């Protein structure tokens, strides 16, 4: 019998362009017909060490729409919080669950969990990356533009955070262009840029970092932003708000961009800090469609990861009439 190698979803670049496009295609089919009995009897575990609205709720609703169930586990509920090792926890939970989402601080914890688990492990956000957000963002752009290749995303604000770093690899992988508009201390790490450049079919031309947000957005297809103070950075709040004050996505910045530009934000947003309330609610904004798409894309991800390959459940999807 052939052993099946389990697949995890820890970083966007662990999957190739073809696999991501397949995921987007499946997301579209599940969005068109949301209730599908593809994961009956499957259970998703969810360990969250940080707060969440979208990730938690969309995974819980998503697995239930697919016929499965979920168990939400905060660190305090688990013996992990009292010193049981990650390795033992991963090995034991693998005996009960079919997949596990982890949201935590240190990226290496997710990697270690995945190393010891025999079930697919999904990164629900770490200090370094947020790949579930990335598939949602790619799907949302594709839905509007029917293409990804060649499009230019301008990421304004904290270009060194988890969402920005994931964008670096996501854009490279999908043949998009990425411009980070931020003060130099908030540009992505050069080591990450070097690795992303290797992935991009455009080479070094796919990426630029600049302090001039207005020039960067002149040919933007998408303007993207995220909070200036991510979870775990609360002590740096005062400094960050001061450093990034000139990088708000507001009406003046959007005016400098092409008329059809799309404005995105992974949420939660701090209206009046990284984005003005007016821009969030204006026609350019696709932010709430983007939030909805977390549900559809994570359902696709769960089907891809938990499917019993011998039964090929994707072929059992009922299409809309
Ligand atoms: N965008 C996102 O991951 O939101 P939550 O923190 O609410 O899950
Ligand atoms: N950069 C933000 C993203 C929240 C979804 C954070 O880590 O808090």
């Amino acid at each position: 019998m052939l052993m099946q190698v389990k697949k995890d979803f820890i970083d966007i670049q662990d999957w190739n362009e073809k696999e991501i496009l397949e995921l987007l295609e499946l997301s579209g089919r599940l969005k068109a017909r949301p209730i599908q009995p593809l994961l009956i009897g499957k259970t998703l575990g969810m360990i969250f060490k940080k707060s969440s609205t979208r990730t938690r709720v969309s995974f819980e609703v998503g697995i239930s729409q697919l016929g499965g169930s979920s168990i939400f586990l905060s660190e305090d509920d688990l013996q992990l919080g009292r010193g049981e090792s990650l390795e033992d926890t991963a090995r034991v939970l693998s005996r009960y669950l079919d997949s596990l989402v982890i949201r935590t601080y240190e990226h290496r914890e997710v990697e270690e969990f995945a190393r010891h688990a025999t079930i697919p492990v999904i990164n629900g956000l770490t200090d370094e990356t947020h790949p579930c957000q990335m598939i949602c963002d790619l799907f949302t752009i594709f839905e509007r533009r029917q293409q990804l290749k060649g499009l230019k995303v301008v990421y304004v604000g904290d270009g060194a955070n988890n969402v920005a770093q994931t964008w670096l690899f996501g854009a490279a992988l999908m043949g998009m262009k990425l411009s980070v508009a931020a003060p130099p201390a908030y540009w992505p790490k050069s080591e990450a840029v070097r690795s992303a450049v290797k992935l991009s079919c455009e080479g070094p031309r796919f990426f630029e970092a600049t302090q001039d947000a207005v020039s960067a957005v002149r040919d933007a297809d998408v303007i993207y932003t995220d909070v200036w103070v991510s979870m775990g950075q609360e002590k740096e709040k005062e400094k960050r708000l001061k450093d990034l004050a000139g990088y708000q996505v507001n009406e003046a910045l959007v005016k400098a961009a092409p008329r059809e530009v799309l404005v995105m934000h992974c949420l939660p947003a701090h209206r009046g800090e990284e984005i003005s309330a007016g821009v969030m609610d204006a026609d350019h904004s696709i932010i709430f469609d983007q939030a909805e798409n977390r549900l559809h894309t994570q359902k696709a991800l769960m089907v891809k990861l938990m499917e019993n390959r011998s039964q090929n459940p994707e072929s059992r999807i009922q299409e809309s009439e």
Side-chain angles (χ1 to χ4, degrees):
M1 201 176 82
L2 272 179
M3 285 289 287
Q4 277 185 12
V5 180
K6 70 147 176 152
K7 201 165 170 67
D8 301 305
F9 189 64
I10 295 179
D11 284 311
I12 192 80
Q13 65 272 26
D14 297 341
W15 288 37
N16 62 36
E17 184 186 5
K18 181 170 169 280
E19 289 169 323
I20 290 170
L21 289 173
E22 281 170 13
L23 202 53
L24 303 188
E25 193 267 337
L26 181 57
S27 305
R29 288 164 71 198
L30 291 170
K31 184 169 182 174
R33 185 121 179 196
I35 311 295
Q36 304 271 358
L38 300 176
L39 296 179
I40 288 176
K42 304 278 185 189
T43 308
L44 176 75
M46 304 171 66
I47 300 180
F48 277 54
K49 295 190 181 180
K50 288 178 172 174
S51 310
S52 170
T53 298
R54 282 142 289 269
T55 308
R56 175 182 177 173
V57 177
S58 53
F59 268 116
E60 289 194 11
V61 171
I63 185 103
S64 121
Q65 291 183 351
L66 294 167
S69 57
S70 59
I71 303 177
F72 184 79
L73 301 157
S74 75
E75 195 180 16
D76 297 339
D77 297 327
L78 294 166
Q79 297 286 9
L80 197 56
R82 296 181 58 250
E84 186 170 16
S85 72
L86 271 177
E87 173 174 353
D88 290 351
T89 308
R91 289 172 65 183
V92 171
L93 291 181
S94 297
R95 304 281 180 119
Y96 309 131
L97 301 167
D98 297 288
S99 180
L100 184 74
V101 184
I102 310 178
R103 169 170 286 202
T104 188
Y105 293 86
E106 286 184 60
H107 195 73
R108 58 139 206 102
E109 278 187 23
V110 180
E111 292 172 334
E112 196 178 329
F113 221 97
R115 223 177 5 261
H116 297 295
T118 52
I119 54 173
V121 170
I122 300 171
N123 172 2
L125 178 147
T126 66
D127 289 346
E128 287 178 34
T129 63
H130 195 3
C132 292
Q133 184 66 51
M134 191 69 224
I135 43 163
C136 160
D137 295 346
L138 293 171
F139 178 73
T140 308
I141 297 171
F142 192 82
E143 206 176 29
R144 294 288 175 140
R145 292 279 185 266
Q146 283 76 53
Q147 71 173 97
L148 293 174
K149 229 178 237 335
L151 296 186
K152 178 180 175 185
V153 175
V154 180
Y155 190 105
V156 183
D158 181 5
N161 78 8
N162 43 12
V163 173
Q165 172 141 303
T166 313
W167 254 109
L168 186 65
F169 288 96
L173 207 56
M174 304 315 285
M176 301 170 83
K177 295 192 179 74
L178 180 72
S179 175
V180 167
Y186 295 83
W187 290 352
K189 292 188 201 90
S190 14
E191 196 187 319
V193 173
R194 275 196 296 276
S195 309
V197 162
K198 285 188 198 144
L199 279 182
S200 171
C201 54
E202 298 271 329
R205 281 181 312 153
F206 104 91
F207 177 77
E208 65 160 6
T210 173
Q211 295 186 66
D212 186 349
V214 172
S215 300
V217 301
R218 285 204 201 288
D219 57 349
D221 294 288
V222 175
I223 299 176
Y224 197 108
T225 191
D226 179 18
V227 288
W228 290 342
V229 184
S230 285
M231 291 180 276
Q233 296 175 333
E234 290 77 10
K235 285 200 186 111
E236 301 165 26
K237 180 172 178 182
E238 208 180 319
K239 178 173 172 22
R240 290 176 154 270
L241 297 195
K242 208 161 114 217
D243 290 350
L244 292 163
Y247 291 88
Q248 185 186 72
V249 175
N250 53 28
E251 287 75 355
L253 187 69
V254 173
K255 213 166 164 198
R259 218 159 39 92
E260 59 287 356
V261 75
L262 302 171
V263 174
M264 299 179 74
H265 190 310
C266 58
L267 299 180
H270 288 165
R271 289 170 181 244
E273 285 181 15
E274 76 278 0
I275 189 164
S276 69
V279 166
M280 256 193 95
D281 298 326
D283 289 346
H284 290 289
S285 162
I286 54 167
I287 291 170
F288 293 96
D289 288 343
Q290 180 186 0
E292 178 192 325
N293 285 336
R294 292 294 302 276
L295 174 64
H296 311 301
T297 50
Q298 282 160 201
K299 282 167 71 180
L301 180 64
M302 288 189 282
V303 170
K304 287 273 180 206
L305 291 178
M306 283 190 248
E307 69 184 1
N308 177 345
R309 286 171 187 81
S310 60
Q311 288 175 7
N312 188 16
E314 275 178 56
S315 65
R316 292 187 279 118
I317 290 186
Q318 295 165 7
E319 305 292 351
S320 302
E321 276 90 49

